[in-house]
Amino acid sequence: EKETAEKLEVDWDKYAEFVEVMTSNATKNYDDYTARLAELKGEGCDVNRLTTAAIGIAAEAGEFQEIVKKVLFQNKPWNQENKDHLIIELGDIMWYAVQACKALDVRMQDVLIGNTFKLLKRYPEGTFDYLKSEYRAPNDL
């Protein structure tokens, strides 16, 4: 494997060209982006709230993950202060999750019920199954 990796060369300029053609116009061009935003707004999408939720959930999940990483790998103590910090970050994640619910016009209770049904369908015996988690049935999101 190492020998193969050493022989493998990447042409960064060609890769950059590949990335360019594989990128949507709305990503590359402001006018296309704003047109897409207007289209989505016309379809009833709450773009501002949805964007806030998506970026916020990712950012706060990263902060939560950073604490867990430090506890697991960098000897940060498992103490009440760090648990409280995790709870605070989890609260921030939930705040953004509610923003997403508002953007999608759905109640959090309905999201949780939907998740419960999804998991019961995936694990009909009512318990976790490693194989079913790795090798999902068709249409199992």
Side-chain angles (χ1 to χ4, degrees):
E1 248 181 55
K2 185 177 179 183
E3 291 174 8
T4 303
E6 288 174 353
K7 293 178 185 178
L8 180 65
E9 291 185 31
V10 175
D11 184 326
W12 290 103
D13 293 329
K14 285 185 180 179
Y15 185 75
E17 290 172 18
F18 170 75
V19 169
E20 184 66 19
V21 299
M22 298 302 288
T23 302
S24 72
N25 288 336
T27 298
K28 298 184 288 187
N29 180 289
Y30 181 78
D31 291 335
D32 290 334
Y33 174 65
T34 56
R36 180 63 180 147
L37 293 177
E39 180 183 346
L40 289 168
K41 183 178 179 185
E43 294 172 358
C45 179
D46 187 345
V47 177
N48 294 351
R49 196 179 292 264
L50 190 64
T51 302
T52 296
I55 293 170
I57 289 169
E60 296 299 338
E63 291 183 28
F64 186 91
Q65 186 177 25
E66 180 71 14
I67 299 164
V68 171
K69 176 195 78 173
K70 288 181 178 183
V71 167
L72 293 176
F73 303 115
Q74 298 173 359
N75 295 327
K76 191 173 182 91
W78 183 245
N79 59 22
Q80 195 59 50
E81 179 183 351
N82 289 319
K83 290 183 209 178
D84 290 345
H85 194 178
L86 284 166
I87 292 166
I88 288 168
E89 298 305 336
L90 186 58
D92 290 344
I93 293 166
M94 295 304 297
W95 191 88
Y96 285 108
V98 171
Q99 292 290 346
C101 288
K102 288 186 168 294
L104 298 169
D105 193 27
V106 64
R107 296 175 28 207
M108 182 63 77
Q109 293 90 325
D110 296 328
V111 172
L112 298 176
I113 289 167
N115 179 257
T116 300
F117 285 135
K118 177 190 84 168
L119 293 174
L120 288 172
K121 181 179 174 187
R122 184 177 299 160
Y123 308 113
E125 297 81 20
T127 58
F128 176 78
D129 181 312
Y130 172 78
L131 291 175
K132 288 180 182 173
S133 75
E134 287 292 315
Y135 306 102
R136 296 190 184 159
N139 299 318
D140 181 0
L141 303 175

